[in-house]
Amino acid sequence: MKVALGTPTMPPFANGPSHLRGQKKFQKKAHEELQNVTKRRNLQYATTTIRVKRQNVVDELDDWQDLRETGSWTKREVAARMPELLEEFERNVTARGGHVHWARDSKEANEIIRGLIEETGEKEVVKIKSMATQEIALNEELEKAGIFAQETDLAELIVQLGEDFPSHILVPAIHRNRAEIRDIFAAKMPNTDDTLTSNPPELAEAARQYLREQFMKAKVAISGVNFGIAETGTVSIVESEGNGRMCLTLPETLISVMGIEKLLPRYEDLGVFLQLLPRSSTGERMNPYTSLWTGVTEGDGPKNFHIVLLDNGRTAAMSNEIGREALKCIRCSACLNVCPVYERAGGHSYGSTYPGPIGAILSPQLTGMESADDPNSSLPYASSLCGRCNEVCPVKIPITDILLELRYQKAKNEPVLAEKAAFGAISTMWGNPTLWNRAVRLVALGRVLGGFNGVIESAPYPVSGWTEFRDVAVPPKKSFRQWWDTDEAQDLLARERAKGVPAQPPVADEQKDGAQNHDAEHLHKGGQHYSQDDKPGSSKLDIETTEEDK
């Protein structure tokens, strides 16, 4: 007897209020952002400074690559054991006096947090910098309920007072210079006026005085989470300013929002990640403040601790064997600081809480790519595929592989008919040399589109989308094959033939023997061939036995 099991239901994508999808496609928004010369200058200076600092502290460690490998496999273990680890984490938090709440999406998360605050009767709360709360648009949703959330991170405070949007994972106000910050403080911060200068210590002092008042009167604090330890129920926050420590210790109620991928299996795993994260993010050997707490402790810190476990599309992302690697991210921003596209286009071009290379692979997976016109469907193309992001990622996320996978998914699920027809025609011509040669000869007619400038600024449909945001050089007057048939090409060929092939310098016998021995040892060590499977997400180690060993 046959039993029809039906088609499994896919996990839902992110739903509800969020800052995961912009209003415009990346190409269009980037075209606008490129006009802001001051912002581009600020970004270039800041990202260059951070990546130089990072490289200096990374070079100090002989085992840096081993740390990256360990971090990568630990996060893969989390993905493989996610249900088990989440339940273990919940048990340990609850056993130590904490309260665990589960949120399938941003709507549920915001409702839970709003309800917890309303139970206290408070109308003002303080917040630690948190990507998860930014992702679910928590501040805006609390404001609708008459609750004001005060950002306490200096960069987030600048963004909040300037009614702006973060543009960097680590430094949300990286697009602002100190003169702009001074103007924002003078206009929006209480107890400041036009006598305030752009001197950084003075700006920091003004923020410190303002925030100290907020800390002292706050009864409720909201935080994100860097790491949650399943083994003990411990939660960790790492920071550089100390504002987080104030939020975690002074208020009576603490509400933390944690993406389900932020788990670590064991307490000892922190030893790896507390080396990877500071060096990759701020270029420091160790971050100034590391806060760890487990549940509630009588007479020490908040009396009530709540943690909201947020899915919001993460389970959907895990369904893709290649794409799930993006969930290993520890939010260090190293990929942003080396990305030539981010450095020029800026974080606002991505339209999401998560900008840069990691945003280009994470946001589309959390929200799904709804159509060819969906702004997030353009993000996988926001890359030159240079691979610098792969090299600096502390947990070895294969970002370029995921970008290519998402491009494939977009082309498969939301094909552009004109583009599909064009590639079909090209495929036909490639299979017919005579037809291809005739078509290539006609390409030179495209020179008329360049006018007198020698650049095609606007091409006709269906390739008009390509020139909407970029210029294209005019085609050459002759194709290579046409040029090859000319007297000029044949004369050049004859001259090169007359010169002959340059003689190669002789290789010393000892060098030749050493190279052969090295190759033999590398390729056939102990009679076995070892090859690491490069497929993202795979843990397979193939051992191929030679014919001699059978």
Side-chain angles (χ1 to χ4, degrees), residues 380-405:
Y381 299 89
S383 171
S384 65
L385 299 178
C386 68
R388 296 170 74 181
C389 48
N390 295 353
E391 306 227 347
V392 300
C393 178
V395 288
K396 304 185 75 170
I397 299 174
I399 295 177
T400 52
D401 289 353
I402 302 175
L403 287 168
L404 291 173
E405 168 67 11

Side-chain angles (χ1 to χ4, degrees), residues 437-445 476-490:
N437 288 336
R438 290 178 180 176
V440 167
R441 292 175 184 272
L442 296 176
V443 170
L445 298 177
K477 295 179 180 179
K478 298 177 182 178
S479 69
F480 175 78
R481 291 188 178 187
Q482 288 175 299
W483 173 82
W484 186 252
D485 291 335
T486 64
D487 293 338
E488 177 190 2
Q490 295 306 310

Side-chain angles (χ1 to χ4, degrees), residues 239-289:
E239 46 150 343
S240 298
E241 299 173 12
N243 63 296
R245 183 69 59 80
M246 301 287 278
C247 290
L248 297 174
T249 55
L250 293 178
E252 296 177 358
T253 300
L254 172 62
I255 305 169
S256 298
V257 183
M258 184 179 92
I260 57 175
E261 81 281 13
K262 292 299 188 72
L263 284 174
L264 294 179
R266 298 159 294 273
Y267 193 86
E268 64 181 14
D269 294 328
L270 272 177
V272 172
F273 288 90
L274 291 182
Q275 293 183 74
L276 291 172
L277 181 56
R279 283 178 165 82
S280 297
S281 56
T282 56
E284 298 172 294
R285 297 179 183 88
M286 188 65 187
N287 47 285
Y289 296 89

Side-chain angles (χ1 to χ4, degrees), residues 11 39 63 84 117 216 240 359 380 473 514 520:
K39 181 182 290 188
D63 61 346
E84 168 196 344
I117 297 172
M216 299 308 294
S240 298

Side-chain angles (χ1 to χ4, degrees), residues 398-416:
I399 295 177
T400 52
D401 289 353
I402 302 175
L403 287 168
L404 291 173
E405 168 67 11
L406 292 176
R407 292 181 186 187
Y408 166 73
Q409 294 292 341
K410 191 256 185 183
K412 183 182 73 171
N413 298 328
E414 301 292 341
V416 179

